[in-house]
């Protein structure tokens, strides 16, 4: 939640509590807390998503490297086979 919105919500909750609306004040405070928890979850998810994207990139690079090695091995095997046929 935006800091300004959070401060405004808590200020409103305090004013409601001062005016005798404790239930409404409590609900606003609880909502602010839950929104803060959700914000933290979204930040963690964003971090994990970024990490997953990096891992995918690394796996693609490793896959390309393995393909290159496989191709070299295949070519070497063909050369050895051609020598043994002679």
């Amino acid at each position: 939640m935006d800091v300004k919105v959070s401060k405004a919500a808590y200020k409103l909750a305090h004013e409601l509590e001062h005016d005798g609306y404790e239930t409404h004040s409590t609900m606003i405070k609880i909502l602010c807390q839950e929104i803060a928890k959700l914000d933290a979850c979204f930040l963690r998810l964003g971090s994990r998503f970024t990490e997953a994207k990096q891992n995918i990139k690394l796996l693609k690079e490793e896959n390309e490297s393995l393909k290159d090695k496989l191709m070299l091995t295949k070519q070497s095997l063909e050369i050895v086979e051609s020598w043994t046929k002679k």
Side-chain angles (χ1 to χ4, degrees), residues 45-59:
L45 282 173
S47 174
R48 289 181 183 165
F49 179 73
T50 300
E51 184 181 336
K53 281 177 31 179
Q54 291 171 344
N55 287 340
I56 288 170
K57 182 181 177 186
L58 290 173
L59 286 171

Side-chain angles (χ1 to χ4, degrees), residues 13-27:
H14 179 70
E15 289 174 6
L16 286 171
E17 189 173 343
H18 181 71
D19 291 343
Y21 296 99
E22 289 85 14
T23 303
H24 294 82
S25 173
T26 302
M27 286 191 298

Side-chain angles (χ1 to χ4, degrees), residues 25-78:
S25 173
T26 302
M27 286 191 298
I28 289 173
K29 289 176 184 176
I30 291 170
L31 284 172
C32 287
Q33 292 169 356
E34 294 303 313
I35 290 170
K37 289 178 189 176
L38 286 172
D39 281 348
C41 287
F42 282 123
L43 285 174
R44 284 193 304 274
L45 282 173
S47 174
R48 289 181 183 165
F49 179 73
T50 300
E51 184 181 336
K53 281 177 31 179
Q54 291 171 344
N55 287 340
I56 288 170
K57 182 181 177 186
L58 290 173
L59 286 171
K60 285 181 178 179
E61 290 171 1
E62 185 177 346
N63 187 37
E64 287 302 314
S65 174
L66 289 172
K67 282 182 184 178
D68 292 342
K69 289 177 183 177
L70 179 61
M71 184 57 71
L72 289 173
T73 303
K74 184 178 175 184
Q75 290 171 351
S76 298
L77 181 60
E78 289 171 353

